[in-house]
Structure formats: structure tokens, C-alpha cells
Amino acid sequence: MFKTFYNEVKNIMEKDPAAKNMLEVILCYPGLYAVLFYRLAHRLYKRRMFVLARLISQIARNLTGIEIHPGAKIGRGLFIDHGMGVVIGETAEVGDNVTIYHGVTLGGTGKDKGKRHPTVGNNVVIGAGAKVLGPITIGDNVKIGANAVVLKNVPPNVTVVGIPAKIVRAKDNNVVYLEDYVI
């Protein structure tokens, strides 16, 4: 448990240039608390202790303003920066080394049964206010612009922006036109 705590603090120190020292991160970063509460709640959820898991997640939401359903699957190195208003739904899957800014929703559309929430790949950055909705897949190394609304699958190594989100840049910095891709 201490190793998990240390790794989460170290991750924030590496990803946030504003973090001055470990004590500041421990005392002042709600994203840290939200992820730690999630990890505990998720363990209970996997043991079918659903009510206790949800209770812990709701306590975390009230303390941090970040709501992570204990059924979500989250990899290592999640960094939630300025996390107020972040929502991660029950069937969401988040890969390793993902950065999420405030106001992001990884949610459902209200139409689906079973897998209802997005699957986010590794090394993804999701800008403030973005909404990623439905049982879609976001590829590895994707950047999602602030306030984008993503409703369709996104291939790896691109940047998407807008409402609805459209590909504007590929990893090699060449502009990619929407006509060339279906997202």
C-alpha cells in the first residue's frame, strides 16, 4: 500500500511542473486522493462488496469533486490535474500514463447496455472540459483538445478537437483531413 502511495506521488511530481515537493503533492492535490480512494474502492468492488465500494467512491467525490466509479479499470500513472468535475463511468477503461484535466467526462450516452463507457489507451492527454462518450476506443498517444466532444473511435497517434471531435494532426505533425479517416 505504501508503494502504491509513493508511486502515485512520484507520478504527479514527474508530470506537473508546478509541483514543488512531495509534501505539497500529498497535502494539496485532490487528484492524488481521488486515485487512492479509487484503488481501495476498486479492490472492494472486485470482491463484490459493491455498496461499500460505492460508499468510498462517494466519500472521495465529496472530498475531491472527482467521481470515479469503483467498477472502472484504471492503469498505472493516472494524473488528474485540477480535477474538479472529472467523471469516470463504471465500464470505462483507462490505460497507463494518462493525464486528465478538470471537467472531463468519460461517460455513457444512455443508450447502451453492458460496456457503456470509453476505453482510453496509454499515454493519452484529455484536455479540460472534454467529453468522451459511449463504448468507443481512444488509441494510444492521442491528445484530445479542451472542450472536445468525442463520440466515435479515435486512431492512435493523433490530436482531435472540436464538437464533434475531428482529427487535426497526426503524430508526425502533418495535418490529417477528416475525409481520410472515419472517427
Side-chain angles (χ1 to χ4, degrees), residues 43 58 67 71 79 84 100 128 143 155 167 172 178 181:
R43 282 185 178 175
Q58 292 303 299
E67 183 171 349
F79 174 43
M84 185 61 72
I100 296 176
K143 293 181 181 176
I167 296 171
D172 63 4
L178 182 61
Y181 291 89

Side-chain angles (χ1 to χ4, degrees), residues 83-155:
M84 185 61 72
V86 168
V87 176
I88 300 176
E90 178 181 22
T91 62
E93 299 175 44
V94 177
D96 295 336
N97 302 311
V98 172
T99 298
I100 296 176
Y101 290 95
H102 59 278
V104 167
T105 298
L106 303 180
T109 60
K111 302 175 192 173
D112 301 299
K113 302 234 185 269
K115 175 75 169 138
R116 304 179 308 280
H117 303 95
T119 298
V120 176
N122 299 321
N123 307 308
V124 173
V125 176
I126 306 175
K131 308 302 177 219
V132 184
L133 305 175
I136 61 174
T137 300
I138 308 302
D140 293 344
N141 308 306
V142 166
K143 293 181 181 176
I144 298 173
N147 295 315
V149 177
V150 184
L151 301 172
K152 296 184 180 177
N153 294 337
V154 177

Side-chain angles (χ1 to χ4, degrees), residues 24-69:
E24 178 187 19
V25 170
I26 291 167
L27 295 175
C28 301
Y29 278 67
L32 171 65
Y33 297 119
V35 170
L36 292 173
F37 273 106
Y38 157 78
R39 300 230 184 265
L40 173 61
H42 184 68
R43 282 185 178 175
L44 295 169
Y45 191 87
K46 288 193 314 187
R47 290 188 173 108
R48 305 186 61 76
M49 300 173 77
F50 301 123
V51 174
L52 183 56
R54 286 298 304 271
L55 179 62
I56 290 169
S57 73
Q58 292 303 299
I59 290 168
R61 182 185 67 129
N62 288 330
L63 291 173
T64 66
I66 299 167
E67 183 171 349
I68 306 174
H69 193 286

